[in-house]
Amino acid sequence: MALDHDTFLIGGEWVPASSAHRSTVIGASTGEVLGTSPEGMEADVDAAVAAARRAFDDPDGWSGWAPRDRAAVMRRLADALDARREEITRLVSSENGMPITLSLGLEGTVPSTLLRYYADLVTEAPVEEHRDGLLGRPVLVRREPVGVVAAITPWNAPQTLAAGKYAPALAAGATLVIKPSPETALDAVLFAEAVVEAGVPAGVVNVVPAGREAGAYLVGHPGVDKVSFTGSSAAGRSIAEVCGRLLRPVSLELGGKSAAIVLEDADLDSEAIRQELVAATLLNNGQACFASTRILAPRSRYDDVVDAMSALASSLTVGDPLDPGTHVGPLASERQRERVEGYIAKGRAEGSRLTAGGGRPAHLDRGWYVEPTVFADVDNKQVIAQEEIFGPVLVVIPYEDERDAVRLANDSDYGLGGSVWTRDAEHGLEIARRVRTGSFGVNHYMTDPVAPFGGVKASGLGRELGPEGLAGYQQLKSVYL
Ligand code: NAD
């Protein structure tokens, strides 16, 4: 049965959309309609920003509450999300093709984990700090909420990526207008229901799924104090331009093309390492911003690494994202599959050697599936080695020595993730120190709520997660006493 919605969560109410524009959400594994949602237009954005503004500017409201009172509401929201765990994870997997086991561990777990983490953090961390001044008078340094936040999120991990914004923002005392992608507008409604059930005060969280134009309108809206964006580097650039002109704080979590550096001594026969390699390189059907999709292999072991990665890719079970046995599900949309297939064609045209996949799986006649694909004989200058493909496509690039490996890892417009694979973890850490990136894994890669996450170069500005993520929603004020 299709899920059809008619309203947005604005000012604590289910408000009818201002226009008849609707988005249709198509199931990634079926190609069939999952449901429809109203598409936010400028008038809806105006209403949501006004509600967030009122909630923020109310002197007795959210921004003025004691941190422990905000934390209590956040814990209730965490409980309300946990109560919807199964429903949320199944819906996200149906929408975007995320394998259900990953969806349970990520979409069904991380949002409530982040809410509880930031609830604890904000009750423990003092909002005001006294310092002895050097000029004879004391100083008070205050951490005040940043104001109304425009939170714009993509479709690849919609619940998790939204939580990376609203959990610290709520802890800080900010209010939000959340704009989910139209591709995943349906699970956003489950989140909005949890917000209502948890008794989050009216206007503190407003949810308006909408397209790019309404997103751009929200970014430049006079009622917004900070923009927090996760998505493509192209959109991030145009958002940064607008925020630059407005002198509006902005954080940008953008694309990546990270490197997995396989060292001479890497144990590619170990089952544990093979599983970690799959997670680091092909997570979420390759639709993970931090995936290490460039495999750097020592020239001396090049054929070994190509064979191991190709065997690994070919061994994965491709199929229904709702089946717990599935490793690789479909891509999120037909458009996304066209994009990925375009890159596979480009890799072939550039003369690289296809050693696994390259086509659509023969046993699946519907849904946006692409086989896990590996290209060998790839030069780091090639398009498939430089541009973000955002699908299950790996390239194996040879290096001469470790200095060359680090040079190749750094020879990218991006700098978001990365990993090194070695029996000598100490030595792996040495490599980690030399790669220009925002995060890096030694023999595995997975982000952690306590550690700041974000990119350098075209991968973004600012950090989410950890105490640094909370600081992103606070403004400092010095009071000279
Ligand atoms: P996208 O940039 O097309 O869209 C992301 C969101 O921004 C959507 O909600 C979209 O409607 C909105 N949007 C697009 N253009 C906008 C504009 N000019 N102004 C305001 N809003 C705008 O990206 P996508 O295709 O949905 O997501 C995939 C991209 O996201 C990949 O590049 C991926 O690497 C990146 N990503 C980054 C991270 C990270 O944490 N660094 C995490 C996940 C995804």
Side-chain angles (χ1 to χ4, degrees):
M1 197 185 68
L3 297 163
D4 293 305
H5 300 285
D6 294 308
T7 54
F8 301 119
L9 178 63
I10 296 178
E13 308 278 338
W14 296 103
V15 176
S18 69
S19 80
H21 286 93
R22 298 188 69 77
S23 23
T24 302
V25 181
I26 304 289
S29 61
T30 60
E32 285 167 10
V33 174
L34 271 181
T36 64
S37 155
E39 191 183 326
M41 295 285 130
E42 291 188 3
D44 306 300
V45 171
D46 286 340
V49 172
R53 190 78 263 162
R54 275 195 304 278
F56 185 78
D57 292 340
D58 176 357
D60 302 320
W62 185 253
S63 56
W65 284 22
R68 67 171 179 283
D69 296 334
R70 290 200 295 266
V73 174
M74 292 170 66
R75 292 194 182 98
R76 288 207 304 271
L77 179 54
D79 293 342
L81 288 171
D82 282 349
R84 289 165 175 75
R85 185 168 186 240
E86 297 290 321
E87 206 183 347
I88 287 175
T89 52
R90 287 185 71 81
L91 187 50
V92 170
S93 290
S94 304
E95 287 171 312
N96 72 3
M98 179 183 285
I100 191 77
T101 42
L102 177 63
S103 193
L104 281 164
L106 210 60
E107 298 287 276
T109 304
V110 173
S112 56
T113 303
L114 285 176
L115 280 163
R116 293 186 183 110
Y117 168 69
Y118 281 111
D120 289 348
L121 197 65
V122 79
T123 37
E124 287 156 13
V127 174
E128 296 190 341
E129 182 196 332
H130 285 271
R131 296 186 190 171
D132 293 333
L134 292 181
L135 302 177
R137 286 168 176 265
V139 176
L140 179 73
V141 178
R142 282 179 51 75
R143 294 177 189 279
E144 301 187 344
V146 73
V148 172
V149 174
I152 300 176
T153 50
W155 42 259
N156 60 327
Q159 295 279 330
T160 301
L161 297 170
K165 304 182 186 312
Y166 67 68
L170 290 175
T175 62
L176 298 111
V177 175
I178 302 177
K179 190 211 82 59
S181 263
E183 288 89 341
T184 47
L186 302 177
D187 67 272
V189 177
L190 295 180
F191 165 70
E193 285 173 6
V195 168
V196 173
E197 185 184 292
V200 177
V204 171
V205 174
N206 306 274
V207 184
V208 180
R212 282 160 191 247
E213 290 75 18
Y217 179 71
L218 172 62
V219 165
H221 200 289
V224 166
D225 297 307
K226 154 139 192 172
V227 176
S228 178
F229 174 78
T230 299
S232 60
S233 296
R237 276 204 173 87
S238 82
I239 288 168
E241 277 175 25
V242 174
C243 291
R245 187 157 31 80
L246 296 170
L247 296 178
R248 178 166 293 173
V250 60
S251 66
L252 303 168
E253 297 286 342
L254 309 177
K257 188 78 184 179
S258 303
I261 304 177
V262 180
L263 296 186
E264 293 264 6
D265 69 347
D267 181 6
L268 300 181
D269 295 328
S270 145
E271 187 49 36
I273 289 290
R274 289 157 58 85
Q275 281 183 19
E276 294 292 355
L277 259 171
V278 170
T281 59
L282 289 167
L283 194 79
N284 199 21
N285 321 326
Q287 300 172 132
C289 51
F290 49 62
S292 294
T293 50
R294 285 186 296 146
I295 314 294
L296 307 186
R299 177 88 63 192
S300 57
R301 277 191 75 187
Y302 189 72
D303 291 341
D304 259 10
V305 176
V306 169
D307 290 349
M309 292 311 299
S310 308
L312 205 52
S314 306
S315 72
L316 299 173
T317 305
V318 182
D320 182 357
L322 296 180
D323 182 339
T326 291
H327 301 121
V328 177
L331 296 175
S333 63
E334 190 168 21
R335 185 171 62 99
Q336 189 61 18
R337 179 166 69 174
E338 272 168 26
R339 177 189 152 92
V340 171
E341 288 181 337
Y343 277 109
I344 294 175
K346 207 163 274 176
R348 284 187 151 129
E350 282 177 327
S352 291
R353 182 161 55 97
L354 201 57
T355 58
R360 299 178 181 181
H363 67 291
L364 296 161
D365 56 3
R366 58 181 199 158
W368 320 126
Y369 291 95
V370 171
E371 292 172 319
T373 297
V374 178
F375 277 109
D377 302 341
V378 179
D379 185 281
N380 197 51
K381 295 282 178 232
Q382 277 176 233
V383 171
I384 55 168
Q386 285 293 326
E387 294 185 12
E388 183 183 49
I389 298 176
F390 225 53
V393 182
L394 306 179
V395 299
V396 191
I397 300 166
Y399 68 80
E400 303 304 331
D401 53 24
E402 282 181 18
R403 183 183 283 256
D404 191 36
V406 171
R407 180 189 66 78
L408 287 167
N410 290 337
D411 181 15
S412 169
D413 288 342
Y414 297 105
L416 188 59
S419 52
V420 63
W421 304 84
T422 171
R423 287 175 207 255
D424 180 350
E426 278 299 311
H427 186 55
L429 183 54
E430 284 302 310
I431 301 281
R433 293 191 174 106
R434 289 158 61 192
V435 178
R436 271 196 77 205
T437 184
S439 62
F440 201 80
V442 180
N443 290 327
H444 90 123
Y445 180 98
M446 190 32 85
T447 60
D448 190 287
V450 305
F453 175 78
V456 301
K457 301 189 271 181
S459 291
L461 290 176
R463 292 292 180 269
E464 292 191 333
L465 307 184
E468 295 79 4
L470 178 62
Y473 296 94
Q474 293 170 322
Q475 287 284 22
L476 293 171
K477 179 192 280 176
S478 295
V479 183
Y480 312 115
L481 299 167

